Amino acid sequence: TAAIAFVEVTTHLPSEGRSSLTYHYFFDHAITPLGRRLFDPEGAHNLALEVVRRGLAPRLSREGNTDDDSRIEMRVVIGKGERMLQFPGPIGLAAGFDKNGTAISGLFDMGFSFVEIGSVTPLPQPGNAKPRSFRLVEDRGVINRFGFNSEGVERVGEHLRDFVNRTAGDLKDSNNDDKITHNVGEKISHSFLWALGWAWNRLMTSKPRTGVLGINLGKNKTSEDEVGDYTVGIQK
């Protein structure tokens, strides 16, 4: 108990988990520099995306939470109608990082008020030949020449449906979770696993955060019908 109390006072990891400034500092000063040394730009990009997808990236900190004054409303005209979009904050993520919509939940969890995935092409395509991403160390930037590498609208559509189902809470527990165990050993094992699950969810995940989700559409490199490609993306 004393050890846990000491860790809480010094790091806030037990109570805040990935939201704690200690976790943010660890990623900023250890994980990120190490990743840049060990991986080429595209490899580092893919690793970062996987970390976010698995829910291991730093989460929006307590200091970073926005209040009602930070909300932004934007009126969008769609055909003859209008729709009001409400952004939780002013900072979002443009297309190019999560090209196939595999890490949407994790990106919202980091604090982005909007997330734009893509570009998504009608058919899968590999993009340009490698190397196609280059670091500009002095400018703290990158040159991106991926060339619309995409899994295609069908596969990305599956990722989007998975995201919607998770957000809506449609994923149900298996029937095995409802069974009552009468064996003492099974009860102890079940309680231990439940405790581990509770600790993991407390430290590594949070209440679902959402925002405005956008999809950037693109055309296939070999397509001769650009309008048709964009039409397919809209219809899907």
Side-chain angles (χ1 to χ4, degrees):
T1 303
I4 295 176
F6 176 78
V7 174
E8 170 61 26
V9 171
T10 56
T11 68
H12 296 296
L13 279 171
S15 63
E16 297 182 15
R18 291 188 296 121
S19 293
S20 68
L21 294 182
T22 301
Y23 199 89
H24 281 241
Y25 185 90
F26 175 68
F27 256 79
D28 290 343
H29 294 84
I31 298 299
T32 299
L34 183 62
R36 288 173 179 164
R37 288 179 177 272
L38 297 179
F39 299 94
D40 60 66
E42 185 166 351
H45 176 123
N46 294 334
L47 175 62
L49 184 64
E50 185 66 12
V51 168
V52 175
R53 186 185 72 82
R54 292 182 177 273
L56 298 175
R59 191 171 64 201
L60 180 67
S61 67
R62 183 170 53 189
E63 288 77 5
N65 279 306
T66 56
D67 51 31
D68 292 336
D69 294 336
S70 300
R71 295 183 180 275
I72 301 173
E73 291 188 348
M74 179 179 297
R75 191 179 304 276
V76 179
V77 178
I78 304 177
K80 296 182 179 180
E82 293 184 350
R83 181 176 180 181
M84 185 68 72
L85 295 180
Q86 187 176 75
F87 297 85
I91 299 177
L93 182 69
F97 179 74
D98 186 3
K99 292 177 174 290
N100 298 302
T102 59
I104 300 172
S105 296
L107 291 170
F108 278 130
D109 206 33
M110 292 177 67
F112 290 113
S113 65
F114 71 83
V115 171
E116 182 184 17
I117 66 170
S119 294
V120 184
T121 57
L123 300 175
Q125 64 179 25
N128 294 329
K130 299 178 181 180
R132 54 193 181 180
S133 181
F134 309 91
R135 289 191 179 101
L136 302 177
V137 179
E138 294 183 357
D139 298 319
R140 302 181 67 181
V142 296
I143 295 177
N144 176 357
R145 296 173 181 165
F146 278 75
F148 282 14
N149 53 311
S150 173
E151 294 182 356
V153 293
E154 296 294 341
R155 183 61 175 156
V156 174
E158 294 177 5
H159 297 321
L160 288 173
R161 284 188 287 273
D162 289 343
F163 166 71
V164 171
N165 289 337
R166 286 196 303 272
T167 304
D170 289 340
L171 296 181
K172 298 180 179 179
D173 295 332
S174 63
N175 293 331
N176 291 333
D177 293 337
D178 297 329
K179 292 181 179 179
I180 300 177
T181 57
H182 298 284
N183 183 279
V184 175
E186 291 181 0
K187 287 184 178 180
I188 295 175
S189 176
H190 179 77
S191 298
F192 179 70
L193 292 176
W194 180 89
L196 286 179
W198 179 89
W200 175 264
N201 288 325
R202 185 68 183 86
L203 294 176
M204 306 308 293
T205 64
S206 67
K207 295 179 180 179
R209 299 189 74 260
T210 59
V212 177
L213 176 63
I215 304 172
N216 189 296
L217 302 177
K219 74 178 189 70
N220 282 113
K221 187 174 182 178
T222 58
S223 174
E224 298 180 356
D225 183 7
E226 296 181 0
V227 175
D229 277 15
Y230 289 110
T231 300
V232 169
I234 293 172
Q235 290 175 341
K236 294 293 184 178

